[in-house]
Amino acid sequence: MDKVRIGIVGVGNMGSSHAGYLHEGGVRGGELAAICDSNPARLEWARQKFGDSVKLFDSVEALLTSGTIDAVLIATPHYDHPRTAIQAFEHGLHVLVEKPAGVYTKQVREMNEAWAKTDRKFGIMYNQRTNPIYQKLREMIASGELGEVRRTNWIITNWYRSQSYYDSGGWRATWEGEGGGVLLNQDPHQLDLWQWTVGMMPVRVRAFCQFGKYRKIEVEDDVTAYVEYENGATGLFVTTTGEAPGTNRFEVTGDRGKIVIEDGKLTFWRLRVPEPEFNSTFTGGFGAPECWKCEVPVKDDNDSQHKKITQNFVDHILKGTPLLAPGEEGIKGLTLSNAMHLSSWTDNWVDLPIDEELYYSNLQERIANSTMNKKSGGKTLSVEGTH
């Protein structure tokens, strides 16, 4: 095989973007071979945009059995991600799925198990993993430069969204249509990076979610979550779509200093002597380890992060290049958002791994008791439910 024929399922906001750079030859060894969408208007858009060079399908089954593709890029609403991926694996196709991996971990675990039974390649569109600043943070922590992690704090409150944004789609901001709010729509990248960069998942979570605090919606638009790690470290995650101006500050403290990512810069406050060593030898009444403020250089990178993930996925198929964002890892960030929901719903601590059946039953209860007069977009392939 010298090229990967890719079929995109769903050409809404993100699907159409993926189709664009693929059709323009932006991915070496990758070819836009087909598009699938249940919305006739989106298929007509694709016909006018790409002409006869791209095959069009109005059903997933027709696409998967067509013989025209080697891989699918799934850009449908959240609930459909695992279902479509499982179908693709059953037809012997490689899968690249948009984030989030799904709505609840039970369905994502089933997707991972379906993939594990095959020899197909599986990736997820965690494009922020290509961001040099987060790669540098991960490298510094993994190398021991920061020492043992003691605390993580991420304030990500610059996801401002107006009421008109939520009113723009019938699937938005409903338990049935999206399966969540800011945690599932805006924050999947940050939740993934939170665990990916520090190299560990929490062992328990206590969260306080506000549902429809700032907007007329039924899902969460304001969240404060506290987590604890196995090594004794603690963490805080604060997010909302209702504040302006917002903040995006990620801070990780270790026994050798502190790293902060904010305003596109990575700053390392490096202790000359590790804190435990200083503490064991210092005899004065007041004092602290000598600290050097270091602006860590991070290479500029203006290339499309989404395109980079797709390129890496194609290279993985053709050359065996290691995946930057393996699909099975999508369950990690989703576990964090599910745990935050469940903690708030039950007004209690949630241990990880979460009780998947308890989460699912609570979610179904909220869907059944919804008072929103919106129609679910869960079966519409044309809208990718993010951003």
Side-chain angles (χ1 to χ4, degrees):
M1 180 188 294
D2 59 359
K3 68 177 178 181
V4 179
R5 300 171 300 166
I6 299 173
I8 296 179
V9 184
V11 280
N13 293 334
M14 287 310 305
S16 58
S17 175
H18 294 311
Y21 65 70
L22 278 168
H23 187 257
E24 293 168 1
V27 174
R28 298 178 304 279
E31 174 187 61
L32 178 63
I35 283 175
C36 175
D37 203 296
S38 62
N39 185 337
R42 296 309 296 163
L43 289 181
E44 180 57 30
W45 168 85
R47 181 176 290 106
Q48 294 184 19
K49 180 78 172 178
F50 307 119
D52 296 333
S53 63
V54 176
K55 302 295 184 183
L56 304 181
F57 299 87
D58 60 6
S59 79
V60 174
E61 186 66 21
L63 170 68
L64 300 182
T65 59
S66 67
T68 61
I69 62 172
D70 306 303
V72 292
L73 197 168
I74 302 169
T76 61
H78 308 152
Y79 278 103
D80 285 331
H81 291 180
R83 182 186 309 117
T84 307
I86 291 171
Q87 286 179 270
F89 289 134
E90 290 173 345
H91 285 85
L93 297 169
H94 305 293
V95 173
L96 178 59
V97 65
E98 261 290 354
K99 57 84 180 170
V103 172
Y104 50 94
T105 58
K106 179 181 177 181
Q107 63 170 183
V108 173
R109 191 173 303 283
E110 292 171 352
M111 174 175 66
N112 288 353
E113 290 170 353
W115 162 75
K117 296 176 183 177
T118 76
D119 62 353
R120 301 293 84 184
K121 309 306 182 184
F122 182 27
I124 186 168
M125 190 57 70
Y126 276 150
N127 57 281
Q128 282 295 314
R129 289 193 183 190
T130 72
N131 190 325
I133 203 166
Y134 296 114
Q135 291 182 340
K136 177 64 72 172
L137 173 62
R138 175 179 162 87
E139 174 191 320
M140 293 177 69
I141 293 175
S143 69
E145 185 77 16
L146 187 63
E148 185 177 16
V149 173
R150 292 184 167 188
R151 188 184 308 277
T152 67
N153 293 285
W154 204 329
I155 302 175
I156 174 73
T157 58
N158 61 344
W159 289 124
Y160 184 81
R161 296 294 185 270
S162 66
Q163 186 65 48
S164 62
Y165 165 83
Y166 292 111
D167 294 341
S168 66
W171 56 278
R172 290 194 187 279
T174 64
W175 294 114
E176 183 180 13
E178 275 196 282
V182 62
L183 291 174
L184 211 63
N185 191 315
Q186 284 79 33
D187 280 317
H189 288 302
Q190 284 70 39
L191 291 173
D192 172 62
L193 291 171
W194 193 19
Q195 60 82 27
W196 184 69
T197 54
V198 301
M200 58 184 180
M201 286 278 286
V203 294
R204 67 173 189 160
V205 176
R206 183 66 175 99
F208 302 88
C209 300
Q210 303 292 323
F211 304 98
K213 180 178 182 180
Y214 296 111
R215 305 290 181 258
K216 294 179 181 178
I217 58 176
E218 64 182 12
V219 294
E220 80 284 351
D221 57 1
D222 188 87
V223 179
T224 299
Y226 172 82
V227 303
E228 293 179 350
Y229 299 92
E230 187 174 10
N231 72 341
T234 61
L236 189 68
F237 191 85
V238 178
T239 189
T240 183
T241 55
E243 292 180 5
T247 296
N248 185 353
R249 178 184 173 93
F250 186 20
E251 180 176 311
V252 185
T253 302
D255 55 24
R256 297 188 63 89
K258 177 178 69 175
I259 299 174
V260 174
I261 293 177
E262 188 173 22
D263 297 329
K265 298 179 180 179
L266 191 154
T267 306
F268 181 23
W269 280 266
R270 184 181 184 276
L271 300 183
R272 187 175 185 185
V273 176
E275 190 280 327
E277 180 182 336
F278 176 85
N279 184 60
S280 66
T281 58
F282 181 69
T283 58
F286 295 93
E290 183 179 341
C291 181
W292 302 339
K293 182 180 179 181
C294 309
E295 296 292 342
V296 179
V298 177
K299 63 180 180 180
D300 292 331
D301 193 345
N302 297 320
D303 289 345
S304 166
Q305 295 173 347
H306 293 92
K307 186 168 64 175
K308 280 187 172 183
I309 289 292
T310 307
Q311 182 68 68
N312 174 248
F313 175 67
V314 168
D315 288 344
H316 180 61
I317 295 171
L318 297 178
K319 307 174 184 178
T321 302
L323 276 177
L324 181 58
E328 68 271 22
E329 293 185 9
I331 200 169
K332 294 181 178 180
L334 185 64
T335 293
L336 294 173
S337 62
N338 278 189
M340 291 176 193
H341 279 155
L342 189 57
S343 175
S344 191
W345 290 341
T346 61
D347 194 23
N348 209 341
W349 284 93
V350 169
D351 293 329
L352 272 58
I354 68 169
D355 184 331
E356 294 182 342
E357 294 298 336
L358 180 60
Y359 182 87
Y360 181 75
S361 63
N362 269 267
L363 176 61
Q364 296 308 305
E365 180 181 345
R366 276 152 185 80
I367 292 174
N369 294 330
S370 173
T371 59
M372 300 290 286
N373 294 320
K374 288 187 172 186
K375 295 181 179 179
S376 168
K379 295 183 179 180
T380 302
L381 299 181
S382 62
V383 182
E384 194 280 302
T386 58
H387 305 297

